Amino acid sequence: MKLSKPKYIFVTGGVASSLGKGIISASIARLLQARGYSVTIQKLDPYINIDPGTLNPYEHGECYVTEDGTETDLDLGHYERFTSIQTTKNNNVTTGKIYKSVIEKERRGEFLGKTVQVIPHITDEIKRRIQLLGTTKKYDVIITEIGGTVGDIESLPFIESVRQLRYTLGYQNTVLVHLTLIPYMAASGELKTKPTQHSVKDLLSNGLQPDVLVLRSEHPLNADIRRKVALFCNVTPDAVVESIDVPTIYEVPLRMHAQHLDEVLLHKLGLEAEQEPDMAAWSAFVERVKNPSRRVDVALVGKYTELPDAYKSISESFIHAGAVNDCKVKLHYVNSEKLTLENVAQTLAGMSAVLVAPGFGNRGIEGKLVAVRYARENDIPFFGICLGMQCAVIEFARNVLGWEDANSSEMEQTTTHPVIDLMEEQKGITAKGGTMRLGGYPCLLAKQSTAAEAYGTQNIAERHRHRYEFNNDYLAQFESAGMKAAGTNPDTGLVEVVEIPSHRWFVGTQYHPEYRSTVANPHPLFVSFVDAALKYADEHGTK
Ligand code: GLN
């Protein structure tokens, strides 16, 4: 940290949701980092759930898990992948968390005599949470992304808190970036600025003047449009930045830099911007992503295949690992509910590797077992993550050990072979929110294992999100039949990695490696898995 007090960048969105505020925030962070500033990003989510842990992925996409075991919004995954910073429970605040702490204070009697209200009590709590990361004295710049769209009723307390903070922290110490959409009217061949003007008016009516406008558009914006937006929205013309659709999200920081967004922000914050950011390694990575030498086809078997955001960290990990291997990993989302013994060969034809995804509950489980079996019997590289690893264990128990009713007690409580079972400490727990085994745990890998070879070390730490575990009562039988515990928790003996050494690449991890893959540090298991897929493709002439 080089500043004595942190500066704050707020990022809001208008006109429509899903414009990519998370990517813009992460891009700004990456550029400021490249200029030598220490940065962190937090997301404020206006929904009332305490965290997204209990949400169906179709609601908000993947639930991301931080090192300290918090279930968070998937944007935190982007923050980590872009910047390699580790986020914590303080980087994602929901309306639910805000209200919970205010109500708890009220019950403790901390507001005795007072009526507890949205203003000032809720807004005070929001302001406290926004500034919490600043109290660590680790960051020069704190970027705060406000979820939702300006104008939503539920966003109002957040917007009002930003207004108050800008006033008390000083306008020279804060900057507001507003992201909007410039729609294109095909009939008249025109780009329209009116929704942006209205969205800025909305902000103004809440007492907030944006300093920078990032305009999402499918077409390039000409100088006229920029001037018009600048004039009608009270911003300087250099602070109108276009965010056009790009082939990869990793190109966004480069596009933002080309338009001097980092310079404009630093200037508005009164910070020195002489030194150009060093984005050489980043640009090289983007080049490799955009121009790979070859392509490899990988099946991702799961039940949320209609919404690829449900597997965001996995698909991004494949982009990182593909760049290392100079190839594009083409993911084929295979709906496990439709996969059967009869159609598996046809469905997975041409695939050079199979990944079985994490998940919960019974639905689609039999299809996942079919996919594991097909990969195992045909020596196709196989990667099982969390539930995917548990499926690998169940499939092995049924089809190799011959225990026909083997199952996870999550799926079938009365099975006589609960090869995956509830952890002891989970047995008394009934509440669903935040009660799984969550966050980083150490793992010791076996010397002779695919995993240890990939990581280049035996001592690792990875993030978890599950209730069930490999049942160690059966370990000896699995090992003598050819499935090994290749990684265990050194403190508890819980099995964290299973492998089949006679197979070319068969790894199941109880943990989620995808949460730790970043542009700067692609995950070694994904890198090794993609390498195995390429070798398989070479041998089988699949692509
Ligand atoms: N449902 C399984 C469990 O709770 C796996 C969870 C997951 O895949 N994240 O253990």
Side-chain angles (χ1 to χ4, degrees):
M1 177 168 185
K2 50 187 184 185
L3 307 179
S4 56
K5 271 209 298 212
K7 304 270 185 177
Y8 287 85
I9 298 177
F10 298 101
V11 181
T12 54
V15 179
S17 58
S18 306
L19 294 181
K21 284 195 300 281
I23 303 293
I24 293 294
S25 304
S27 299
I28 293 172
R30 186 67 196 85
L31 288 170
L32 297 185
Q33 262 186 343
R35 285 181 181 266
Y37 292 99
S38 57
V39 188
T40 191
I41 323 181
Q42 61 191 337
K43 170 119 194 237
L44 307 186
D45 274 310
Y47 55 71
I48 296 173
N49 303 61
I50 296 289
D51 59 47
T54 53
L55 291 178
N56 181 324
Y58 279 129
E59 294 276 322
H60 273 276
E62 169 192 275
C63 172
Y64 186 74
V65 178
T66 58
E67 199 62 32
D68 70 356
T70 314
E71 295 172 290
T72 72
D73 186 79
L74 63 75
D75 274 331
L76 273 80
H78 291 307
Y79 305 163
E80 293 207 5
R81 287 186 284 274
F82 274 59
T83 63
S84 294
I85 51 173
Q86 273 193 358
T87 55
T88 67
K89 63 178 188 305
N90 294 332
N91 293 70
N92 194 190
V93 179
T94 64
T95 293
K97 278 187 186 158
I98 298 287
Y99 271 78
K100 185 165 183 269
S101 64
V102 170
I103 290 169
E104 279 168 2
K105 276 187 195 160
E106 188 273 337
R107 292 289 83 184
R108 285 198 300 270
E110 288 182 30
F111 304 117
L112 231 42
K114 290 267 180 277
T115 309
V116 182
Q117 293 177 299
V118 173
I119 295 169
H121 302 100
I122 294 298
T123 45
D124 280 353
E125 180 62 13
I126 295 175
K127 288 192 292 179
R128 187 184 74 78
R129 296 299 298 247
I130 290 177
Q131 291 173 280
L132 206 56
L133 291 169
T135 59
T136 61
K137 305 238 176 284
K138 286 201 300 213
Y139 308 108
D140 297 311
V141 181
I142 294 169
I143 300 172
T144 304
E145 178 191 346
I146 316 281
T149 309
V150 167
D152 292 350
I153 292 175
E154 54 190 15
S155 302
L156 276 175
F158 293 98
I159 299 290
E160 167 60 12
S161 304
V162 172
R163 187 196 67 74
Q164 292 183 17
L165 271 180
R166 296 203 71 187
Y167 176 77
T168 49
L169 294 171
Y171 294 99
Q172 71 286 10
N173 295 319
T174 67
V175 57
L176 175 60
V177 177
H178 189 51
L179 180 63
T180 73
L181 176 71
I182 299 282
Y184 178 72
M185 301 292 284
S188 57
E190 279 177 305
L191 289 163
K192 293 294 190 187
T193 66
K194 197 61 66 84
T196 296
Q197 297 179 41
H198 280 292
S199 172
V200 170
K201 279 216 178 81
D202 245 336
L203 272 177
L204 283 169
S205 70
N206 291 312
L208 277 177
Q209 166 66 53
D211 304 290
V212 174
L213 291 171
V214 177
L215 308 178
R216 186 72 193 267
S217 165
E218 287 170 29
H219 297 271
L221 308 179
N222 60 32
D224 264 358
I225 299 252
R226 287 174 197 246
R227 262 198 303 274
K228 192 169 162 189
V229 170
L231 177 65
F232 291 116
C233 300
N234 308 315
V235 298
T236 50
D238 66 345
V240 180
V241 174
E242 109 189 348
S243 171
I244 202 156
D245 296 353
V246 278
T248 159
I249 53 169
Y250 297 109
E251 203 175 325
V252 176
L254 303 177
R255 294 288 182 117
M256 294 300 123
H257 176 60
Q259 298 174 80
H260 312 289
L261 175 60
D262 43 339
E263 211 177 306
V264 169
L265 289 170
L266 290 172
H267 178 73
K268 290 193 187 293
L269 290 170
L271 296 176
E272 164 280 297
E274 274 142 43
Q275 185 198 328
E276 273 292 297
D278 180 3
M279 294 296 280
W282 189 276
S283 303
F285 164 77
V286 170
E287 256 335 284
R288 284 197 302 278
V289 171
K290 284 169 69 181
N291 300 304
S293 301
R294 54 187 295 200
R295 161 183 151 171
V296 69
D297 293 87
V298 176
L300 190 157
V301 182
K303 67 178 172 184
Y304 303 112
T305 44
E306 273 97 86
L307 181 79
D309 263 6
Y311 303 114
K312 196 76 201 162
S313 293
I314 293 178
S315 58
E316 296 303 317
S317 299
F318 275 118
I319 294 176
H320 310 155
V324 176
N325 284 289
D326 193 19
C327 71
K328 176 186 166 53
V329 178
K330 170 83 185 117
L331 278 183
H332 300 256
Y333 293 89
V334 175
N335 184 344
S336 55
E337 285 181 89
K338 300 211 174 110
L339 207 55
T340 62
L341 273 178
E342 291 68 46
N343 67 21
V344 63
Q346 194 193 349
T347 312
L348 299 182
M351 297 296 131
S352 297
V354 175
L355 183 143
V356 175
F360 294 84
N362 230 330
R363 196 160 55 82
I365 201 82
E366 293 301 323
K368 288 187 173 180
L369 297 174
V370 164
V372 178
R373 180 174 191 171
Y374 186 78
R376 181 178 59 76
E377 291 184 345
N378 292 286
D379 204 30
I380 303 170
F382 170 84
F383 197 176
I385 297 180
C386 208
L387 180 62
M389 170 268 199
Q390 298 176 354
C391 286
V393 170
I394 298 166
E395 191 280 326
F396 195 87
R398 288 189 189 175
N399 300 319
V400 178
L401 288 160
W403 305 333
E404 275 171 30
D405 77 331
N407 216 331
S408 160
S409 46
E410 179 182 8
M411 317 300 161
E412 178 62 72
Q413 285 191 356
T414 55
T415 170
T416 56
H417 291 94
V419 289
I420 302 292
D421 202 6
L422 206 55
M423 282 177 274
E424 211 41 56
E425 66 263 31
Q426 285 285 336
K427 288 193 173 149
I429 297 176
T430 50
K432 290 279 180 269
T435 54
M436 281 187 259
R437 182 184 181 205
L438 290 166
Y441 285 91
C443 170
L444 178 65
L445 298 173
K447 219 181 199 137
Q448 311 281 311
S449 61
T450 304
E453 198 180 310
Y455 282 94
T457 172
Q458 283 181 265
N459 291 294
I460 58 161
E462 292 281 3
R463 300 183 198 172
H464 292 247
R465 182 175 187 246
H466 56 104
R467 287 183 210 285
Y468 295 82
E469 289 285 352
F470 182 91
N471 185 341
N472 268 327
D473 292 349
Y474 298 106
L475 181 58
Q477 282 149 295
F478 273 86
E479 295 217 316
S480 50
M483 179 177 268
K484 304 275 181 205
T488 46
N489 180 305
D491 307 317
T492 58
L494 289 171
V495 174
E496 313 284 38
V497 185
V498 296
E499 292 186 8
I500 299 180
S502 61
H503 188 283
R504 67 166 67 221
W505 207 103
F506 191 104
V507 178
T509 61
Q510 185 57 80
Y511 54 77
H512 290 260
E514 71 274 21
Y515 294 143
R516 290 188 62 140
S517 189
T518 70
V519 169
N521 293 302
H523 197 285
L525 272 183
F526 279 89
V527 172
S528 167
F529 181 54
V530 171
D531 176 60
L534 285 168
K535 290 191 176 119
Y536 182 92
D538 285 341
E539 283 169 36
H540 294 76
T542 35
K543 270 271 157 32

